[in-house]
C-alpha cells in the first residue's frame, strides 16, 4: 500500500513512507547500564576495549531497540472530511471502523508471543488511571520524569505498531527504563491494587520477553532468523516450502493461515489454521472440503478453522451492522462476502467481496478489510490483518483521475515489449482519501489492492492515496535532514511532499498496476503465444511461466514483496520524467524539473537510510520497501558517470557522517538508461516466473558488504548513529449518540494516543481482554522448543 508509499501473492501493494527524524533523548546510552538481558551485560564488558568512536557507535546501535522520548506524534486530521458526510454515511463509516479496530487486534497475535499480553497489561493499567492520573503514582514509585515519559512512549509505540516490533523494519523495541522501575509502577497502579493476583500473573506472563533482547528475539524472522507467530517456533524454511506446496495442491491460499508443526519422535505433522469465527466442532455446511486431515509427500497435514475466532466474530458482527447503511448493492454484497469469509475462513469469499469492491466506483466512504499484506510473513505468503475507512478528497482525486485517463498512453513508455504488458489496461478507481480509521500495524501513504493475481490481471484493482497521512508524514525541519548537501536542503523541504505525491501515483497505478504474468491454466491453455513471444534478455522464446495454482507470492516467496516494491518504485522514477505526468500534478517548467530532481534525490537518500533495516548477523532485510530503495541506490551508483555520489565524512559534531549527491543534469540520460535496463530485467523475470534469474538479480543488488566500492557495512553504522524514528499517529474514534455519530478527537501526544485505545474498546473491555489472554495462552507452547503433538488444540 505506495504499498504502505505500506507501500503489499499478490503483487505487494503499499509503499512505506520515509520516517521523520526525532533526536534521541540520551536514555538509550544510560540503557546500557541496566541489565535487561545477559547480552546487555556482555556488551558492557566489551566496551572497555573499544575506541571512543566505536563505543559511540555501539551505544547508538543499541538504541535501535528503544523509542526516543521525543518521538514525533501527529494527529491524523479528518474533521472536515467527516463533517461533510451524511448521517447514513457516518453510520456506515462508524460500523466499518468498529470492524476494522477489532480485526486489527489480530495483529497482536500475528506479531509475537507476548504482544497480546503486554497489550492487556497496558489496557488494564490505563483503564483505571489515565496517563495524567498515573503520573503521580509513577513519581511516588520512584520513577523520574524521563522514565515515566519513556513508559508512555513505549505504550504509545505498542499501540501504534499493534505489538512490540516496529511495523516498519520488524525490529523489537523495549521500554527505555529499568525493568525494576516498570515493575514498581505496575505494582503501584490502581489496577494492581484492585486485582493483585491477576496482575502479577499477567506481569509474569510477559515481563521477561517484554525486555529480552536475545539474538532470536531482536527481529521478526523464521527459524534462527528471529521470531514469528505465523509459524510455530520449530518451523524452518523447508517446512514453509513444504506447506506452500501442500496449500497449492489443495488450491488453498495462505493469506489467512498460520502453520504449526508437531513432532512426535521422528515423525512430524502439520496443522494449518484458518482464521474464522467458526470453530472446530461447529456445524458448517459450507466449505467443508478444505478442512480435514490429508497425507501430502508422506507428511500429515490437518486443516482446521477457528484461528482468532472471538475477534472474527466481532468483525462479522460490525460488518453486518454496516450493511444497513450501505450506499448501494455492491457495498451490501461486498460486506456479505467479507462476513462469509471471516465466518468460514474462506479466501474465495474474500475474493468475491473484493470483486464487488472493485465495482463500487467512487464511493464517498471507501474501505477495505482482511488479511491483506504479506510483508511480515518471513516466507512472504501470509497476510497481516488490516482494515481502513476513509473519506474521498474530491479535489485531489481529480488529479489521480487524470493520471488514470492517461495510463494507456503512458504504459507503452515502459521499457518492456508490448507482449509483457497486460492485454487490456483495466482502468481502476484512483482516489485521494482522508483516513478516518486505519487498523493494523502501521499506516501507509498509498495502497494498490486487491493483491489477488487473478483479479488484478483480468478484472481490475483500485488505487488510493491517503492524503492526510502524506500531509503530516513529510513535515521536515531543515536542521533534522540527514545526509544531504546544505544547498539541497531547502529545495528538498519545498518539494518533498509534491514529488512524493507524484511518486505515489505512479508507483501505485502504473507500478503495481502494470505488467503481465504468463500463465498456463489447469486445462493447458496459455494466456500468451508461446511460438511468438521472445524473452528480450535472451533473444530466445519464453521458456517458463506460472502454472494454474501458482502465484507471484507462492513462486518468489521471500523476495516477492520487496522485488515488487522495487519494480513499482522504478516505474515511478522512470515515468516522473514524462512532462505529461508532471503537468497532471500541476508542475510546469522549472518547478517540474525541481520535482524530478527531488524525487530522484529522495530515492537515493532513502536507499542509504534503508541500511538501518539490514541485519548483518543474518544477512537479511527486515523491510521490503527499504530493501527496494537500497537496490535502486546500488543500480544508480553502478551507472557511474558521476550520476550519484556517496562519501563518508565527519559531521560538524565530530561524529561519522555521510553525504549523497545527485547530478541533476544526468538524470534524463545516465539515470533514465540505468533504470530502463534494470526495470526491463525485473519485469521479464516476473512475467516468466523466472525465480532463479530474478532471485540472482535481486540478491546481487541487495548484498550489503564492506568489499565493494562503498563500505556499506560501515555506512550502516553511520546510518544507525543518525537514525530517525518514525512518527506515531493518533486516530479519532467514532461514537453513536442517538441518531447521530460523533467524532471523538484526541491530543497529538502520548496521552492522547493511549486514551484513544482505551476508549476504543471500553464497551466490552473485560471480555475482550480475557479472549486475548486465552488465545495467547493456548498458543504459548507453540513457541517453546518442546512443542509436541499433545501441546496445542484449536
Amino acid at each position: 500500500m505506495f504499498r504502505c508509499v505500506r507501500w503489499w501473492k499478490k503483487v505487494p501493494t503499499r509503499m512505506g513512507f520515509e520516517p521523520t527524524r526525532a533526536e534521541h533523548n540520551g536514555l538509550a546510552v544510560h540503557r546500557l547500564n541496566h541489565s535487561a538481558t545477559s547480552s546487555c551485560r556482555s556488551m558492557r564488558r566489551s566496551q572497555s576495549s573499544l575506541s571512543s568512536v566505536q563505543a559511540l557507535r555501539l551505544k547508538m546501535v543499541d538504541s535501535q531497540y528503544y523509542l526516543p522520548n521525543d518521538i514525533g506524534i501527529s494527529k491524523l486530521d479528518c474533521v472536515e472530511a467527516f463533517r461533510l458526510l451524511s448521517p447514513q454515511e457516518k453510520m456506515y463509516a462508524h460500523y466499518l471502523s468498529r470492524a476494522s479496530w477489532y480485526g486489527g487486534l489480530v495483529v497482536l497475535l500475528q506479531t509475537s508471543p507476548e504482544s497480546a499480553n503486554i497489550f492487556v497489561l497496558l489496557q488494564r493499567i490505563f483503564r483505571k488511571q489515565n496517563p495524567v492520573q498515573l503520573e503521580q503514582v509513577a513519581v511516588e514509585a520512584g520513577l523520574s520524569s524521563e522514565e515515566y515519559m519513556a513508559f508512555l512512549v513505549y505504550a504509545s509505540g505498542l499501540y501504534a505498531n499493534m505489538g512490540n516490533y516496529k511495523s516498519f523494519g520488524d525490529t523489537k523495541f523495549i521500554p527505555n527504563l529499568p525493568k525494576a522501575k516498570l515493575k514498581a509502577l505496575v505494582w503501584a497502579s490502581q489496577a494492581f491494587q484492585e486485582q493483585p493476583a491477576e496482575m502479577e500473573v499477567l506481569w509474569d506472563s510477559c515481563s521477561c520477553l517484554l525486555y529480552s533482547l536475545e539474538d532470536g528475539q531482536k527481529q521478526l524472522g523464521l527459524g534462527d532468523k528471529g521470531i514469528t507467530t505465523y509459524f510455530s517456533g520449530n518451523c524452518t524454511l523447508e517446512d514453509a516450502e513444504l506447506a506452500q506446496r501442500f496449500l497449492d495442491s489443495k488450491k488453498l491460499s495462505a493469506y489467512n493461515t498460520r502453520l504449526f508443526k508437531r513432532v512426535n519422535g521422528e515423525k512430524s505433522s502439520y496443522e494449518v489454521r484458518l482464521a474464522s469465527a467458526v470453530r472446530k466442532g461447529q456445524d458448517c455446511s459450507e466449505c467443508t472440503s478444505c478442512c480435514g486431515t490429508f497425507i501430502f509427500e508422506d507428511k500429515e497435514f490437518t486443516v482446521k478453522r477457528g484461528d482468532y475466532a472471538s475477534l472474527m466474530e466481532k468483525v462479522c458482527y460490525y460488518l453486518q451492522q454496516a450493511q444497513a447503511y450501505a450506499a448501494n448493492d455492491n457495498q451490501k454484497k461486498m460486506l456479505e462476502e467479507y462476513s462469509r469469509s471471516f465466518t468460514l475462513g474462506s479466501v474465495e469469499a474474500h475474493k468475491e467481496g473484493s470483486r464487488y469492491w472493485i465495482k463500487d466506483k467512487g464511493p464517498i466512504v471507501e474501505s477495505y478489510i482482511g488479511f491483506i499484506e504479506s510483508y511480515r510473513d518471513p516466507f512472504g505468503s501470509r497476510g497481516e490483518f488490516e482494515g481502513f475507512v476513509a473519506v474521498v478528497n474530491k479535489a485531489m482525486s481529480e488529479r489521480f483521475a487524470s493520471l488514470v485517463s492517461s495510463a494507456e498512453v503512458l504504459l507503452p513508455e515502459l521499457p518492456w515489449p508490448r507482449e509483457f504488458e497486460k492485454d487490456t489496461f483495466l482502468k481502476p478507481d484512483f482516489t485521494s482519501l482522508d483516513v478516518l480509521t486505519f487498523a493494523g500495524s502501521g499506516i501507509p501513504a498509498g495502497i494498490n489492492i486487491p493483491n489477488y493475481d487473478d483479479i488484478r490481471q483480468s478484472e481490475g484493482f483500485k488505487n488510493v492515496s491517503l492524503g492526510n497521512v502524506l500531509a503530516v508524514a513529510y513535515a521536515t525541519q531543515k536542521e533534522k535532514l540527514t545526509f544531504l548537501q546544505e544547498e539541497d536542503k531547502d529545495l528538498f523541504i519545498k518539494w518533498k511532499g509534491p514529488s512524493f505525491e507524484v511518486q505515489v501515483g505512479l508507483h501505485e497505478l502504473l507500478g503495481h498496476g502494470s505488467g503481465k504474468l504468463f500463465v498456463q491454466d489447469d486445462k493447458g491453455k496459455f494466456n500468451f503465444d508461446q511460438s511468438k513471444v521472445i524473452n528480450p534478455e535472451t533473444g530466445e522464446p519464453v521458456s517458463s511461466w506460472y502454472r494454474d495454482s501458482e502465484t507471484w507470492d507462492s513462486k518468489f516467496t521471500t523476495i516477492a514483496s520487496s522485488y515488487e516494491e522495487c519494480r513499482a518504485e522504478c516505474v515511478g522514477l522512470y515515468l516522473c520524467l514524462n512532462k505529461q505526468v508532471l503537468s497532471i500534478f500541476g508542475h510546469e517548467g522549472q518547478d517540474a524539473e525541481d520535482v524530478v530532481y527531488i524525487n530522484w534525490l529522495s530515492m537515493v537518500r532513502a536507499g542509504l537510510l534503508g541500511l538501518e533495516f539490514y541485519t548483518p548477523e543474518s544477512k537479511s532485510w527486515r523491510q521490503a520497501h527499504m530493501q527496494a530503495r537500497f537496490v535502486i541506490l546500488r543500480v544508480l551508483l553502478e551507472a557511474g558517470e558521476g550520476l550519484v555520489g556517496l562519501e563518508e565524512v565527519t559531521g560538524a559534531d565530530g561524529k561519522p557522517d555521510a553525504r549523497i549527491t545527485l547530478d541533476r543534469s544526468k538524470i534524463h540520460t545516465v539515470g533514465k538508461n540505468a533504470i530502463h535496463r534494470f526495470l526491463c530485467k525485473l519485469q521479464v523475470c516476473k512475467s516468466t516466473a523466472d525465480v532463479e534469474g530474478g532471485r540472482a538479480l535481486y540478491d546481487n543488488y541487495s548484498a550489503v558488504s564492506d568489499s565493494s566500492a562503498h563500505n556499506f557495512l560501515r555506512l550502516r553504522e553511520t546510518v544507525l548513529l543518525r537514525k530517525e524514528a518514525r512518527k506515531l499517529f493518533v486516530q479519532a474514534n467514532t461514537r453513536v449518540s442517538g441518531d447521530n455519530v460523533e467524532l471523538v478527537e484526541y491530543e497529538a501526544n502520548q496521552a492522547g494516543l493511549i486514551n484513544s485505545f482505551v476508549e476504543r474498546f471500553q464497551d466490552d473491555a473485560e471480555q475482550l481482554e480475557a479472549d486475548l489472554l486465552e488465545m495467547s495462552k493456548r498458543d504459548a507452547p507453540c513457541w517453546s522448543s518442546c512443542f509436541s503433538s499433545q501441546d496445542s488444540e484449536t
Side-chain angles (χ1 to χ4, degrees):
M1 278 175 169
F2 195 19
R3 239 193 275 278
C4 122
V5 206
R6 204 155 125 243
W7 290 238
W8 324 10
K9 159 164 245 22
K10 89 200 166 190
V11 173
T13 62
R14 42 188 202 180
M15 196 173 192
F17 58 72
E18 170 189 328
T20 54
R21 180 165 177 78
E23 296 295 330
H24 295 288
N25 61 12
L27 288 181
V29 175
H30 133 255
R31 166 64 56 203
L32 293 177
N33 294 324
H34 89 269
S35 54
T37 66
S38 59
S39 59
C40 293
R41 289 190 294 270
S42 62
M43 190 181 298
R44 283 201 308 276
R45 287 194 300 268
S46 66
Q47 281 185 297
S48 60
S49 62
L50 296 173
S51 69
S52 59
V53 171
Q54 288 174 315
L56 174 63
R57 280 177 169 159
L58 180 56
K59 290 176 182 177
M60 296 308 292
V61 166
D62 187 75
S63 74
Q64 70 182 300
Y65 302 111
Y66 311 95
L67 302 178
N69 272 16
D70 61 350
I71 190 170
I73 298 182
S74 298
K75 182 166 67 174
L76 209 54
D77 184 13
C78 61
V79 173
E80 183 63 14
F82 187 79
R83 185 185 67 81
L84 295 174
L85 295 179
S86 70
Q88 177 181 338
E89 290 164 345
K90 288 180 179 178
M91 282 289 190
Y92 184 65
H94 167 73
Y95 286 115
L96 288 177
S97 292
R98 300 305 292 156
S100 296
W101 284 121
Y102 277 93
L105 294 174
V106 166
V107 178
L108 293 166
L109 300 161
Q110 291 182 306
T111 299
S112 70
E114 67 273 14
S115 284
N117 294 45
I118 301 171
F119 177 87
V120 173
L121 178 71
L122 294 173
Q123 287 289 90
R124 289 188 176 178
I125 291 172
F126 290 120
R127 275 200 292 114
K128 296 295 182 180
Q129 294 166 293
N130 66 37
V132 174
Q133 295 167 334
L134 193 63
E135 184 173 9
Q136 183 58 39
V137 176
V139 171
E140 294 172 358
L143 277 71
S144 68
S145 59
E146 284 190 328
E147 287 169 337
Y148 182 62
M149 178 57 71
F151 167 65
L152 295 184
V153 166
Y154 177 79
S156 300
L158 186 122
Y159 285 133
N161 290 278
M162 200 49 70
N164 60 336
Y165 287 75
K166 297 174 186 176
S167 64
F168 199 82
D170 295 343
T171 304
K172 188 174 187 176
F173 59 94
I174 70 175
N176 199 4
L177 72 160
K179 184 176 180 179
K181 291 289 188 76
L182 178 53
K183 182 177 180 179
L185 176 59
V186 173
W187 256 244
S189 69
Q190 184 177 334
F192 189 91
Q193 300 306 310
E194 292 182 6
Q195 294 181 307
E198 290 187 21
M199 287 293 287
E200 184 168 0
V201 169
L202 184 51
W203 169 263
D204 289 342
S205 73
C206 62
S207 59
C208 180
L209 287 175
L210 190 152
Y211 271 95
S212 175
L213 285 177
E214 296 298 330
D215 287 343
Q217 292 155 1
K218 289 181 178 179
Q219 63 280 316
L220 300 180
L222 182 60
D224 59 3
K225 303 280 187 181
I227 185 70
T228 177
T229 51
Y230 287 102
F231 299 85
S232 57
N234 54 2
C235 282
T236 64
L237 178 61
E238 290 72 24
D239 294 314
E241 292 170 340
L242 172 63
Q244 186 64 58
R245 294 195 298 273
F246 165 73
L247 292 170
D248 288 344
S249 74
K250 302 296 292 183
K251 295 189 176 180
L252 278 174
S253 170
Y255 270 127
N256 66 341
T257 71
R258 291 196 290 171
L259 181 68
F260 297 83
K261 177 182 177 181
R262 292 196 175 91
V263 179
N264 190 354
E266 296 183 359
K267 184 178 180 181
S268 298
S269 60
Y270 299 89
E271 176 183 302
V272 176
R273 289 193 198 161
L274 308 179
S276 72
V278 171
R279 307 167 194 247
K280 177 187 176 184
Q282 285 183 290
D283 290 335
C284 179
S285 59
E286 192 175 352
C287 249
T288 56
S289 60
C290 66
C291 295
T293 299
F294 310 90
I295 301 299
F296 179 80
E297 295 187 14
D298 296 324
K299 300 292 184 182
E300 181 180 280
F301 280 84
T302 300
V303 181
K304 295 180 179 179
R305 290 191 179 88
D307 217 3
Y308 324 118
S310 60
L311 296 177
M312 293 295 97
E313 288 172 355
K314 298 291 287 189
V315 172
C316 292
Y317 170 78
Y318 284 115
L319 289 177
Q320 290 159 8
Q321 298 300 304
Q323 285 183 48
Y325 302 97
N328 53 55
D329 285 342
N330 277 326
Q331 288 183 357
K332 289 178 181 178
K333 291 176 180 176
M334 171 187 78
L335 295 179
E336 287 173 3
E337 292 297 334
Y338 288 164
S339 184
R340 187 164 71 91
S341 171
F342 303 139
T343 298
L344 302 175
S346 168
V347 171
E348 286 303 314
H350 194 268
K351 290 174 72 173
E352 282 301 307
S354 298
R355 291 186 170 99
Y356 287 116
W357 180 67
I358 292 169
K359 295 174 185 176
D360 185 28
K361 301 291 186 181
I364 300 300
V365 177
E366 183 63 282
S367 68
Y368 197 64
I369 188 170
F371 295 87
I372 312 300
E373 301 299 347
S374 60
Y375 294 128
R376 299 180 94 190
D377 170 15
F379 190 66
S381 295
R382 288 153 187 81
E384 184 174 76
F385 196 97
E386 69 181 35
F388 78 85
V389 184
V391 183
V392 170
N393 180 318
K394 293 182 179 179
M396 185 59 67
S397 294
E398 290 178 2
R399 294 185 181 181
F400 290 122
S402 297
L403 186 64
V404 172
S405 298
S406 304
E408 290 173 290
V409 176
L410 296 171
L411 281 170
E413 299 292 318
L414 292 173
W416 48 77
R418 177 66 187 85
E419 295 82 3
F420 285 72
E421 190 49 70
K422 296 173 185 174
D423 299 333
T424 304
F425 179 70
L426 302 169
K427 290 187 177 181
D429 242 9
F430 198 167
T431 51
S432 177
L433 307 174
D434 286 341
V435 172
L436 169 65
T437 293
F438 208 110
S441 65
I443 306 178
I447 315 168
N448 177 289
I449 37 183
N451 289 327
Y452 305 115
D453 288 341
D454 50 349
I455 294 178
R456 294 172 61 83
Q457 289 284 311
S458 60
E459 298 177 56
F461 53 91
K462 282 187 182 183
N463 296 280
V464 299
S465 174
L466 305 180
N468 58 343
V469 176
L470 283 169
V472 295
Y474 293 99
T476 307
Q477 295 177 335
K478 184 176 180 180
E479 62 271 18
K480 294 184 178 181
L481 275 177
T482 54
F483 308 131
L484 294 179
Q485 298 182 106
E486 284 300 316
E487 54 265 37
D488 282 333
K489 290 184 177 180
D490 288 332
L491 204 63
F492 189 94
I493 290 171
K494 179 179 180 179
W495 292 111
K496 173 58 180 172
S499 70
F500 194 63
E501 180 183 278
V502 173
Q503 181 72 2
V504 169
L506 294 172
H507 175 116
E508 299 295 349
L509 176 67
L510 300 174
H512 294 312
S514 65
K516 181 174 183 175
L517 302 185
F518 296 149
V519 180
Q520 181 184 22
D521 65 24
D522 57 358
K523 297 179 181 178
K525 183 179 178 181
F526 291 87
N527 69 343
F528 67 102
D529 190 333
Q530 278 184 288
S531 64
K532 295 182 179 179
V533 178
I534 301 298
N535 183 326
E537 296 298 313
T538 66
E540 302 292 331
V542 167
S543 58
S544 58
W545 47 83
Y546 298 84
R547 267 60 180 187
D548 176 59
S549 62
E550 296 176 334
T551 66
W552 163 249
D553 276 351
S554 71
K555 288 289 288 183
F556 282 74
T557 62
T558 55
I559 67 166
S561 289
S562 184
Y563 186 112
E564 172 59 16
E565 294 306 330
C566 187
R567 193 183 70 90
E569 293 280 45
C570 287
V571 168
L573 287 180
Y574 193 78
L575 289 181
C576 82
L577 303 177
N578 186 292
K579 291 185 178 180
Q580 181 182 351
V581 168
L582 296 166
S583 180
I584 288 171
F585 286 90
H587 307 305
E588 306 282 354
Q590 184 59 46
D591 286 354
E593 288 302 313
D594 287 344
V595 166
V596 169
Y597 176 61
I598 295 304
N599 194 34
W600 279 63
L601 182 63
S602 296
M603 189 63 68
V604 172
R605 178 174 180 263
L608 179 61
L609 294 176
L611 286 168
E612 175 188 343
F613 303 92
Y614 177 76
T615 303
E617 293 79 9
S618 59
K619 297 183 178 180
S620 62
W621 286 88
R622 307 187 311 275
Q623 215 294 319
H625 305 91
M626 300 312 280
Q627 178 182 2
R629 293 159 189 166
F630 175 76
V631 166
I632 292 171
L633 169 62
R634 290 283 308 277
V635 169
L636 295 179
L637 284 169
E638 184 181 82
E641 299 186 48
L643 173 67
V644 172
L646 173 59
E647 62 174 334
E648 297 181 64
V649 299
T650 299
D653 56 4
K655 301 172 186 176
D657 207 341
R659 289 289 178 273
I660 55 173
T661 56
L662 174 67
D663 188 337
R664 64 189 300 165
S665 70
K666 296 178 180 177
I667 292 175
H668 287 267
T669 53
V670 180
K672 183 178 181 180
N673 290 338
I675 295 297
H676 182 288
R677 292 189 298 270
F678 183 61
L679 186 51
C680 187
K681 291 177 182 179
L682 289 175
Q683 183 58 49
V684 168
C685 289
K686 180 182 178 182
S687 291
T688 61
D690 181 7
V691 178
E692 183 178 353
R695 188 175 289 277
L697 173 70
Y698 203 66
D699 285 351
N700 176 58
Y701 283 108
S702 296
V704 177
S705 72
D706 57 4
S707 58
S708 60
H710 298 90
N711 188 330
F712 288 114
L713 284 175
R714 189 168 62 229
L715 280 166
R716 175 181 175 273
E717 294 178 353
T718 300
V719 169
L720 287 171
L721 184 70
R722 301 181 180 277
K723 75 184 184 73
E724 306 179 34
R726 286 171 65 79
K727 283 183 178 178
L728 307 180
F729 290 104
V730 180
Q731 299 184 59
N733 282 322
T734 53
R735 178 173 59 205
V736 175
S737 177
D739 295 331
N740 299 316
V741 178
E742 299 175 347
L743 188 71
V744 183
E745 292 192 284
Y746 302 89
E747 294 182 356
N749 55 32
Q750 291 83 7
L753 199 160
I754 290 166
N755 290 336
S756 73
F757 270 88
V758 172
E759 294 184 11
R760 199 158 279 151
F761 304 107
Q762 63 185 354
D763 293 342
D764 60 348
E766 292 186 3
Q767 183 59 55
L768 176 64
E769 291 162 11
D771 289 342
L772 286 170
L773 292 178
E774 175 58 32
M775 286 184 282
S776 178
K777 180 180 178 180
R778 180 197 64 187
D779 290 340
C782 302
W783 290 280
S784 70
S785 59
C786 56
F787 185 41
S788 69
S789 59
Q790 289 79 36
D791 281 330
S792 178
E793 284 296 331
T794 300

